[in-house]
Amino acid sequence: MQTREKLFIPGPTEVNEEVLRALSKHPIGHRTEDFSKILKECFDGLKYIFRTKNPVVILSGSGTSGMDAAIASVLKPGDEVICITGGKFGERFAEIAEAYGARVKRFEIEWGKTFDKDELENFVANSDAEIITMVHNETSTGVRHDAEFVGKLAKKYNMIYILDCISSLGGDYVETDKWNVDLCISGSQKCLSLPPGLSFVAISEKAKERIEENTTRCYYLNLKKYLKSMEKNTTPFTPSINLIFALRKSIELIRKEGLENRIKRHVKISRALRRAIEEIGLELFVKDDDIASRTVTSVKYPKGLGDDFRYEIKNEFKILLAGGQSKLKGKIFRIGHMGNVTPNDVIAVLSAIELTLKRRGFNIRLGKSIEKFLEYI
Ligand code: PLP
């Protein structure tokens, strides 16, 4: 009998047995040659996953520590910063920038939609901001924004481009260098299928120059320190040694699958799942396939259903789905399909959804969504 809940939330995600075994090894000294070798492998592997030739530093902290470090390390108090919002995590960037004394100009997008390119360019052209932030894959809504377009704007208007790829890296296309991303941030517990506790920041040459000349008011998250230590294959403070063991294993598994194959698996699953959800009469929160996330799918609760639907699925089937956040609380549920997820896993989720809907009195032919899913997978 399955005793633990399977995670179909947008992080943390299911962790591979081999990664768990790596995690459970006894720690070693972090100032040793052996550990530096492991770190070097991780630094190189992260460059492969971020598709960058630039350094990717590793922080001991959840994804937000990377967002915090990025802003703190390039921002000078009083700087104007454009934050593209449109969800909980886009808003988080604005809150962090404000906490460090920035004058934040929010470019607000309706939740569930993406930006209009002309409107955004107009907004940028009429601002003095030297920094722009965006979330690539807005996990709270399930929208994937055009990160490449914003990179073109950042280049044209000479801005530092900070991009949160926390819930896309390793599950969707992220082209750090090609898209001119200056500070590209991710975290361990999403598409890299690790437990929470690590954050990664890829740092461009342009960002590095700004970081070098900046006098930030933060200490632990000062990226200058991480860049300097990285040159010697080490970290400025005691790292999460066991998570680094696990990261090395996870990178090995990602290389084995191939990044491109891994992304294609996510793309296929997300498309098939969207069609399956529609097939049983549920409404997708993000209407447009072109901007739908490849790693998390948001579904509107039909009339008469709320979060108790998710709790029933959790108790009955040991399948954990996520609810809506902030203003979407009680209005949507979210299916996380990131990391190690397979088509079979999604079929189990669809079965649980169908059965629970039927028990709640919805007129539904069992297996309908699964047939559709199989057609597209
Ligand atoms: N940004 C995005 C897009 C996320 O999905 C999350 C977590 O769900 C975060 C930031 C925050 O990351 P953490 O909770 O690891 O600090």
Side-chain angles (χ1 to χ4, degrees):
M1 203 185 104
Q2 189 186 324
T3 50
R4 89 174 162 82
E5 281 149 18
K6 275 203 116 185
L7 301 173
F8 292 95
I9 54 176
T13 54
E14 288 289 312
V15 180
N16 191 291
E17 288 292 332
E18 286 178 72
V19 172
L20 288 175
R21 275 199 293 277
L23 193 68
S24 69
K25 284 196 179 143
H26 201 282
I28 62 172
H30 59 291
R31 301 293 179 215
T32 61
E33 244 178 65
D34 286 343
F35 191 69
S36 285
K37 260 192 217 155
I38 297 174
L39 264 181
K40 172 83 171 66
E41 271 182 55
C42 292
F43 289 145
D44 290 345
L46 287 169
K47 284 186 184 183
Y48 162 71
I49 299 169
F50 275 83
R51 301 213 216 244
T52 182
K53 57 175 181 8
N54 294 315
V56 185
V57 300
I58 303 174
L59 312 177
S60 300
S62 74
T64 308
S65 70
M67 299 169 81
D68 199 320
I71 301 244
S73 300
V74 293
L75 187 93
K76 299 180 208 87
D79 274 353
E80 189 166 298
V81 177
I82 294 177
C83 296
I84 302 173
T85 60
K88 182 181 158 86
F89 298 108
E91 182 57 34
R92 183 166 297 178
F93 263 140
E95 288 170 11
I96 296 170
E98 278 167 348
Y100 283 105
R103 285 178 296 123
V104 171
K105 278 182 84 181
R106 285 172 173 76
F107 181 84
E108 294 191 13
I109 309 170
E110 190 185 332
W111 288 34
K113 305 255 168 70
T114 194
F115 54 81
D116 175 90
K117 289 183 180 170
D118 292 337
E119 275 178 25
L120 179 60
E121 174 149 14
N122 240 344
F123 192 86
V124 168
N126 287 306
S127 132
D128 299 323
E130 289 177 16
I131 300 170
I132 186 163
T133 72
M134 191 174 73
V135 175
H136 178 214
N137 189 71
E138 180 49 78
T139 324
S140 62
T141 59
V143 171
R144 179 171 46 91
H145 297 295
D146 186 344
E148 184 173 12
F149 177 78
V150 177
K152 284 183 185 150
L153 283 186
K155 190 168 184 190
K156 183 170 169 190
Y157 293 91
N158 195 24
M159 294 181 291
I160 293 277
Y161 180 21
I162 306 180
L163 185 67
D164 167 342
C165 290
I166 291 176
S167 62
S168 55
L169 186 91
D172 196 356
Y173 293 96
V174 173
E175 296 284 354
T176 305
D177 290 357
K178 240 198 235 165
W179 296 349
N180 308 310
V181 185
D182 293 301
L183 291 151
C184 193
I185 303 149
S186 198
S188 53
Q189 80 276 23
K190 311 272 181 184
C191 308
L192 304 187
S193 302
L194 287 159
L198 294 179
S199 184
F200 317 108
V201 187
I203 304 169
S204 76
E205 199 51 45
K206 185 169 145 199
K208 195 174 164 192
E209 279 168 24
R210 193 166 164 121
I211 290 167
E212 296 294 347
E213 74 190 26
N214 199 20
T215 45
T216 172
R217 286 164 303 148
C218 78
Y219 186 86
Y220 190 74
L221 294 176
N222 184 351
L223 290 176
K224 209 184 293 186
K225 295 189 202 305
Y226 290 84
L227 280 166
K228 197 161 169 234
S229 297
M230 197 180 163
E231 285 170 13
K232 291 187 228 133
N233 289 322
T234 185
T235 53
F237 314 107
T238 310
S240 297
I241 295 167
N242 291 55
L243 277 171
I244 302 281
F245 292 162
L247 172 63
R248 177 172 65 163
K249 181 50 82 178
S250 164
I251 289 170
E252 185 189 315
L253 297 174
I254 292 172
R255 282 192 192 275
K256 213 165 164 186
E257 182 180 11
L259 184 60
E260 187 72 25
N261 291 339
R262 188 176 179 87
I263 294 169
K264 282 186 178 149
R265 171 166 57 79
H266 284 80
V267 171
K268 220 172 185 188
I269 285 178
S270 61
R271 268 195 215 142
L273 177 60
R274 282 173 68 78
R275 297 293 80 82
I277 289 290
E278 285 172 335
E279 187 68 10
I280 43 173
L282 293 177
E283 193 182 339
L284 294 166
F285 180 66
V286 178
K287 302 280 174 293
D288 184 354
D289 275 352
D290 291 340
I291 61 160
S293 164
R294 271 90 180 245
T295 62
V296 57
T297 297
S298 313
V299 184
K300 282 192 187 173
Y301 279 126
K303 223 172 163 208
L305 287 191
D307 279 333
D308 51 329
F309 174 72
R310 278 193 308 118
Y311 304 146
E312 195 171 325
I313 289 179
K314 172 177 172 288
N315 295 334
E316 191 76 13
F317 301 97
K318 301 251 186 275
I319 283 175
L320 195 65
L321 302 174
Q325 294 175 293
S326 304
K327 57 178 153 185
L328 295 176
K329 213 171 172 50
K331 296 190 174 137
I332 61 166
F333 66 95
R334 294 171 301 146
I335 307 167
H337 36 87
M338 47 180 82
N340 291 331
V341 70
T342 65
N344 279 353
D345 294 329
V346 179
I347 288 170
V349 174
L350 288 169
S351 308
I353 290 175
E354 282 192 0
L355 275 165
T356 311
L357 283 173
K358 195 164 178 83
R359 283 180 195 164
R360 292 295 187 95
F362 284 77
N363 183 15
I364 186 169
R365 178 175 60 78
L366 293 179
K368 204 171 179 218
S369 69
I370 294 160
E371 278 171 18
K372 199 52 147 188
F373 183 79
L374 292 174
E375 213 180 283
Y376 279 87
I377 202 71

